[in-house]
Amino acid sequence: MRQVRRGPAAPQYGAGVPQQPSYANGGYDDAYDSGYNTGQVYGNPGGHGPGGTPGPGQRPAPNWRRRIKWTAITLVTVLIVTSVGTYFWADSKLRREVDLSTVIDRPQSGSGTNYLIVGSDSREGMTKADEKKLHTGAAEGKRTDSMMILHVGDNGDTLISLPRDSNVEIPSYKGSTSGKVYPATGRQEKLNAAYAEDGPTLLVRTIEYNTGLHIDHYVEIGFQGFANIVDAVGGVRINIDKGFKDKWSGADFQAGEQTLNGQQALAFVRTRHAFAASDLQRTKNQQKFLAALAHEVATPSTVLNPFKFYPTMGAGLDSLIVDKDMSLWSLASMFWAMKGVNGGDGTSMNMPISGSTGGNLVWDKAKVKTLVNELNNDQKITVTGS
């Protein structure tokens, strides 16, 4: 057999010559090529190169911890910006027009906070068509259609209606525009006459003088504003115990549970001619409706729906006249207390009445004194009203 002469022996590896791939097993070296077949280059998993860097054509795996972190930060930032923006927007809408610092000879403040809530018959912003639709008439100026004291304290909240026909003494007072001090003459008038004579400050002065209760804040709303709030919230659900009609207010209600729109709500709270108890029954209806309205505004369907929340807030704040020291926090406290009274967490009542004189309702002085003492000391109310 012919002998094949072999060349010099191949150098051993490790002497500076790199090992070359073998082409055994069908021409492939499994140990070398397996990285290409599996997408693993240089022995690193996932197709990454040295140091864990992505290989050619590969996308890095998402960092979910970082994504969640930045999503949370974004949401919190949006929430804070929205909340701050809403606060300043709402605060700018409050009409702080009543200066209680001009009220003279005021009683000492007690425990808790006392709000005087007034519904006036102001036609501000109403057209002739509005006046006809809402059955308000076209009287000039404005008078009080309802008055309530809301006491917010640690022993339950108390809502007290003051009938506008209440017989009171008009005390000495400082004119809201003239600055002149008018001396007391012992004159007896209906409570709503104080407002008609010199507005909110004389009304506050008269209530404080006749009760001995310090009024901390003043809130007033007119006819149009009241109807707008009810419509903005989508109507208010209320149960009417007994149906009634009244041509003066436009009321025409059947008994039972129903949803009132703005026009119907205004008729409901203004009606007095349809009742034997007249103004006393009307004050009860006013309390009932305002508490139901507060409950409706506070529902998640209103608060969590920006298309309903902002129109409701806008309608309400545009319509309110408050004292110069009223903050949004104080206004919110008043609102939640109204809602609490409706939920059974407080007391609603009329000012105690002992009789009448010349068509005016006379307060029960002994009961009023006890009531005011309990309010001033933030005690549980034991007095009952009509």
Side-chain angles (χ1 to χ4, degrees), residues 196-311:
E197 184 172 328
D198 199 46
T201 53
L202 179 54
L203 178 61
V204 170
R205 166 76 174 127
T206 302
I207 290 173
E208 290 187 339
Y209 178 82
N210 285 268
T211 63
L213 188 68
H214 183 91
I215 300 299
D216 298 292
H217 291 294
Y218 179 90
V219 181
E220 177 186 324
I221 188 168
F223 284 161
Q224 184 75 66
F226 179 80
N228 287 345
I229 293 174
V230 175
D231 285 336
V233 81
V236 174
R237 194 77 177 168
I238 193 170
N239 185 53
I240 299 178
D241 300 326
K242 185 178 180 180
F244 60 89
K245 291 183 180 182
D246 178 27
K247 67 177 182 179
W248 301 101
S249 66
D252 186 2
F253 298 109
Q254 302 295 320
E257 191 171 352
Q258 52 207 283
T259 299
L260 306 186
N261 61 26
Q263 177 183 346
Q264 294 168 326
L266 188 59
F268 180 79
V269 300
R270 293 184 61 220
T271 298
R272 63 171 178 159
H273 297 287
F275 311 122
S278 188
D279 206 34
L280 292 178
Q281 180 60 46
R282 176 169 68 169
T283 57
K284 292 180 180 179
N285 285 346
Q286 289 169 348
Q287 289 181 350
K288 182 177 183 178
F289 187 84
L290 288 178
L293 174 59
H295 178 76
E296 187 68 37
V297 172
T299 58
S301 63
T302 298
V303 176
L304 300 179
N305 182 354
F307 298 102
K308 197 173 182 180
F309 174 75
Y310 284 102

Side-chain angles (χ1 to χ4, degrees), residues 21-33 37:
S22 170
Y23 296 96
N25 300 320
Y28 295 97
D29 187 336
D30 293 338
Y32 179 83
D33 194 56
N37 290 333

Side-chain angles (χ1 to χ4, degrees), residues 24 40 79 113 167 223 246 254 313 318 328 335 369-370:
Q40 300 179 10
L79 180 61
T113 304
N167 190 81
F223 284 161
D246 178 27
Q254 302 295 320
M313 284 281 288
D318 280 341
L328 283 178
F335 173 81
K369 184 177 180 180
T370 301

Side-chain angles (χ1 to χ4, degrees), residues 40-244:
Q40 300 179 10
V41 183
Y42 302 112
N44 290 297
H48 292 85
T53 58
Q58 298 294 323
R59 299 183 61 182
N63 188 330
W64 289 108
R65 180 177 297 179
R66 185 177 182 183
R67 288 189 179 186
I68 292 172
K69 171 186 173 182
W70 282 107
T71 298
I73 291 174
T74 301
L75 290 176
V76 170
T77 301
V78 170
L79 180 61
I80 292 174
V81 171
T82 301
S83 299
V84 172
T86 298
Y87 176 87
F88 284 105
W89 167 78
D91 189 72
S92 68
K93 284 184 169 292
L94 276 181
R95 299 170 58 184
R96 297 181 173 93
E97 300 176 6
V98 179
D99 188 0
L100 295 183
S101 68
T102 63
V103 180
I104 63 174
D105 301 331
R106 308 191 68 185
Q108 186 176 357
S109 297
S111 300
T113 304
N114 299 315
Y115 298 84
L116 178 59
I117 304 170
V118 174
S120 77
D121 65 358
S122 170
R123 280 86 173 164
E124 181 182 2
M126 295 176 65
T127 64
K128 293 296 181 182
D130 292 331
E131 293 173 352
K132 183 177 181 180
K133 175 184 176 182
L134 298 176
H135 295 268
T136 65
E140 295 295 329
K142 58 181 183 179
R143 289 145 294 276
T144 51
D145 213 55
S146 63
M147 290 161 283
M148 302 178 187
I149 294 174
L150 175 65
H151 174 82
V152 179
D154 295 331
N155 286 296
D157 305 318
T158 305
L159 184 63
I160 308 164
S161 284
L162 311 175
R164 70 176 193 173
D165 293 340
S166 297
N167 190 81
V168 295
E169 180 180 341
I170 304 297
S172 60
Y173 68 94
K174 186 177 181 179
S176 59
T177 55
S178 67
K180 177 182 176 181
V181 176
Y182 296 87
T185 61
R187 178 164 48 108
Q188 303 290 309
E189 296 282 1
K190 291 183 178 181
L191 182 56
N192 68 339
Y195 182 95
E197 184 172 328
D198 199 46
T201 53
L202 179 54
L203 178 61
V204 170
R205 166 76 174 127
T206 302
I207 290 173
E208 290 187 339
Y209 178 82
N210 285 268
T211 63
L213 188 68
H214 183 91
I215 300 299
D216 298 292
H217 291 294
Y218 179 90
V219 181
E220 177 186 324
I221 188 168
F223 284 161
Q224 184 75 66
F226 179 80
N228 287 345
I229 293 174
V230 175
D231 285 336
V233 81
V236 174
R237 194 77 177 168
I238 193 170
N239 185 53
I240 299 178
D241 300 326
K242 185 178 180 180
F244 60 89

